[in-house]
Amino acid sequence: MPRSLMPFLTIWSALLTPAAAAPADEGAVLPFPAKEMPSVTKERLQDSSMKWPTKAEKLPDDAPNILIVLLDDVGFGVAETFGGEVRTPALDKLADEGIRFNTFHTTSICSPTRASLLTGRNHTRIGSGTIAERAVAWDGYTGQIPPTASTVAEVLKQYGYNTSAFGKWHNTPATETTSLGPKDRWPNGYGFQYFYGFLGGETSQWEPRLTENYNHIEPPLHDPEYHLTQDLVDRGLGWLDDHQAFSPDKPFFMYWAPGGVHGPHHVASDWADRYDGKFDDGWDAYRERVFARQIEMGIIPEDTQLTPRDETMASWDSVPAEQRAFQTRLMEVYAGYVEHTDHQVSRLVEGLEARGLRENTLIFYIFGDNGSSAEGQQGSVSELLAQNNIANTVDQQIAALESLGGLDALGGPKTDNMYHAGWAWAGSTPFKGTKLMGAYFGGTRNPMVVSWPAGIEPDTTMRSQFHHVVDIAPTIYEVLDIRPPDVVNGHEQLPIDGVSIAYTFGDATADGRKEQQFFDNNASRGIYTDGWFAGTAGPFIPWDTPGSVKRMANWDSAHDTWELYNLEDDFSQAKDLAEAQPEKLASLKALFLDVAEDNKDFPIGAGLWLRMHPEDRLTTPYKEWTFRHTSRRMPEFAAPGLGRVSNHVHIDLEMEAEASGVIYAVGGAGGGLTVYLDKGHLVYEYNMMIIENYGAQSRKQLAPGRHVIEVITDIGSPGSDGTVVLTVDGKKVAKVALARTVPGQFSATETFDVGTDLGSPVSAKYFDRRPFAFEGKIHEVKVSLD
């Protein structure tokens, strides 16, 4: 046989004849080695015989399709299915057709939960101790899932599944999301053959920063019907059509994780209007109603106690009457967003049914990657105010909102709104705490429903065995009779931390098999073992970022006060036994330290580092850049810090008379800065997270022709005041005083663009003209940081 054909047949051999799975007592080595080609190869064609190898089956004949649905930032007491007051028909349907869990847990924060879910390992063991944007240089917090912790998608792909992911990813280092990557830590590099969604932690639902596989793409422009969550269903069903058309014999694995309902809370007003007046009596009353309903429905044990409101959190009665319309509308928008998101899950499930795929599809519907989020603090029109620890008042928020259209603007593209922390606390009924708290179930306990018509008999009996997101991957492996591989793509694998929950599928009252689980997020930490839980809240209070700054300054993890709970008769962590059983507490504290060290959790509080040292945020090593007219979609973490550090921008452009359009912009409607021309006038605008706006424009129009524009920014330190001077052809044309600046970031996924303002527009002044492309030629934009 000619040598030129041998590589071709070798490739086909590897693809079509992988060896059978390893015996049950041995882990597989992936990829599976190729079998010898069955063809007979002689000198003469007449003496040779060609035979394609038969495909070795590595999966059971009835291997199910697998769909994981993971919602974002929604707590235990939100969904009607689990006693809340927000309609969730998809969760209802799947619960009626499957089984439900009331003691299922997450890590209390986005990236870590997702990493643990996909790999079956504890978050810090795999470098995911905090969100990707807050990564720091300790092993447990790098924001990089190592190749020694392969995802379930990678394993299933090599076993013959088609794999896809839709929606929020949030497991790629923030500086590696430019169009040049590196892209090995994008979803496709983690076993997903197809990805459509956004790489960061959040995005506008109206103008999302989309990525398809390895390419950044744009959503439809000026389409009033567009919403990202709907788009994700459409794309998911389209992928299923391709799956059935091109490889109908294969099972599929789909990870569908929308941005809903993470902030910004974006949804059309007709969805929010469904809840008009429903929450007028406030979060304290909501919590009482939901607790009673949870007891009545059997969601929680009858002897459960409703935990009290923390003394640092505002009561509804303390909210001034003139602010209540603002606070209730924020909750109505959130509720509408939740129902809208669940409705899209209904569309996805109906799509499975219409394609004949539902019967043998195992669905895990995890209602939140953590508890409800208190990051809106006192209620916000720009949710990253809290991330940046920028002081503000509710009156200031309301005044800023009025300039954008008042309450009617909430939920729309001009705001990055998020509700008051009181609603998040209410949404975590009956527990203490919210998102970002690993010590309390208000941050970690989320509803889950599992449905598989071909494999699980519907049962209304609640599953109350203690489980965690690390248990999903091993469950999938057990269902498929796959032993977690020892080696994947040449990398020896870390042990799986999770325990399969498959034993609960047919037995609601089976004894729990999970002996231990550790939690830590922002030093709010704890350990579960054999029905006991010990934990400490740590110094960070999610609903009081300014107050937390003072607490963190004098904090020492060795001096934290710990609490102790016997979960066998205390579902809600209401009865602290620390004083009554000091020896038990001491043993669990010691166990926590052992487990934390083994899981690379040290130093305790590493996730707080950037809150205390924002200057150490993840960034690129560059201090100088040269951009062209076509430079765009540069993520803020990789882009020059134009709004937070001193810098000098040199622009060489050509224009016609009365030209308009963006020269460069970074950020979006929730915060950012932009330099643009408007009918020949040079304009600078610093959108300080909506609540303040600093800007100026040249008094005279620029003449037609070629010009050199310089923008010179002086900012003393992160978050301080500053000045901006604009010159044209060496002459000063404007000066801007910055009363204060953003110390960290304007946004999670908005970008730096030259010649246009893609995505959510920085300035409301050109909102109707977005993306407001520059009418002229930008030869060069040079940026240098001082």
Side-chain angles (χ1 to χ4, degrees), residues 256-272:
W256 196 85
V261 288
H262 195 290
H265 297 161
H266 281 166
V267 74
S269 59
D270 59 328
W271 287 89

Side-chain angles (χ1 to χ4, degrees), residues 6 17 19 87 200 217 308 364 382 438 441-442 444 467 529 549 614 724:
M6 292 180 68
T17 65
R87 290 179 288 272
I217 62 173
F364 298 90
S382 183
F441 295 153
T444 64
H467 279 288
T529 185
V549 172
V724 180

Side-chain angles (χ1 to χ4, degrees), residues 251-563:
F252 71 80
F253 172 73
M254 179 186 291
Y255 171 51
W256 196 85
V261 288
H262 195 290
H265 297 161
H266 281 166
V267 74
S269 59
D270 59 328
W271 287 89
D273 291 346
R274 299 180 182 200
Y275 294 89
D276 183 27
K278 189 173 183 64
F279 310 115
D280 285 357
D281 52 358
W283 45 77
D284 294 290
Y286 176 99
R287 195 166 162 92
E288 294 282 351
R289 291 194 306 271
V290 169
F291 176 69
R293 191 178 300 113
Q294 288 172 334
I295 294 286
E296 179 184 355
M297 293 174 62
I299 303 300
I300 61 179
E302 290 184 356
D303 61 354
T304 301
Q305 294 184 24
L306 180 61
T307 56
R309 177 172 22 83
D310 191 272
E311 62 183 10
T312 64
M313 181 175 288
S315 68
W316 179 252
D317 287 344
S318 70
V319 176
E322 65 272 16
Q323 296 178 4
R324 292 191 176 185
F326 173 66
Q327 302 294 3
T328 54
R329 186 56 179 175
L330 286 171
M331 180 57 185
E332 291 166 4
V333 170
Y334 175 79
Y337 190 16
V338 173
E339 183 177 352
H340 176 266
T341 302
D342 181 81
H343 176 72
Q344 305 313 314
V345 178
S346 289
R347 291 182 55 225
L348 185 60
V349 174
E350 290 165 2
L352 293 175
E353 293 169 346
R355 290 160 177 78
L357 296 170
R358 175 72 181 96
E359 178 72 15
N360 198 30
T361 297
L362 170 57
I363 300 177
F364 298 90
Y365 189 174
I366 305 171
F367 209 73
D369 58 347
N370 41 245
S372 294
S373 175
E375 292 160 302
Q377 305 280 289
Q378 304 305 307
S380 182
V381 296
S382 183
E383 53 138 348
L384 260 67
L385 281 164
Q387 294 272 9
N388 285 284
N389 195 29
I390 295 172
N392 63 89
T393 66
V394 175
D395 288 338
Q396 192 175 20
Q397 301 265 357
I398 294 173
L401 182 63
E402 285 301 317
S403 69
L404 299 175
L407 295 179
D408 289 343
L410 292 174
K414 293 183 179 180
T415 65
D416 279 358
N417 52 279
M418 197 164 185
Y419 61 9
H420 191 290
W423 295 119
W425 169 67
S428 295
T429 302
F431 307 117
K432 293 182 282 190
T434 63
K435 174 186 176 180
L436 304 183
M437 302 197 80
Y440 296 133
F441 295 153
T444 64
R445 187 166 286 181
N446 289 86
M448 182 175 72
V449 163
V450 179
S451 179
W452 178 19
I456 298 176
E457 190 72 24
D459 184 3
T460 60
T461 307
M462 189 69 70
R463 270 64 177 168
S464 296
Q465 298 86 352
F466 193 103
H467 279 288
H468 187 273
V469 285
V470 294
D471 302 328
I472 299 301
T475 302
I476 292 170
Y477 294 145
E478 180 178 345
V479 167
L480 298 176
D481 196 24
I482 292 174
R483 187 182 186 277
D486 290 334
V487 178
V488 177
N489 299 329
H491 298 280
E492 189 170 334
Q493 295 294 287
L494 294 167
I496 295 286
D497 291 310
V499 175
S500 170
I501 66 172
Y503 71 94
T504 69
F505 288 178
D507 188 352
T509 60
D511 291 339
R513 296 182 182 177
K514 192 173 188 67
E515 297 178 356
Q516 185 183 98
Q517 181 61 50
F518 107 104
F519 299 83
D520 186 8
N521 176 38
N522 289 311
S524 179
R525 58 201 189 275
I527 184 84
Y528 164 84
T529 185
D530 296 329
W532 289 84
F533 188 95
T536 180
F540 183 71
I541 302 175
W543 51 88
D544 183 14
T545 300
S548 296
V549 172
K550 299 174 184 177
R551 289 164 57 98
M552 290 186 293
N554 301 309
W555 170 72
D556 182 342
S557 62
H559 298 151
D560 279 338
T561 300
W562 283 66
E563 301 165 15

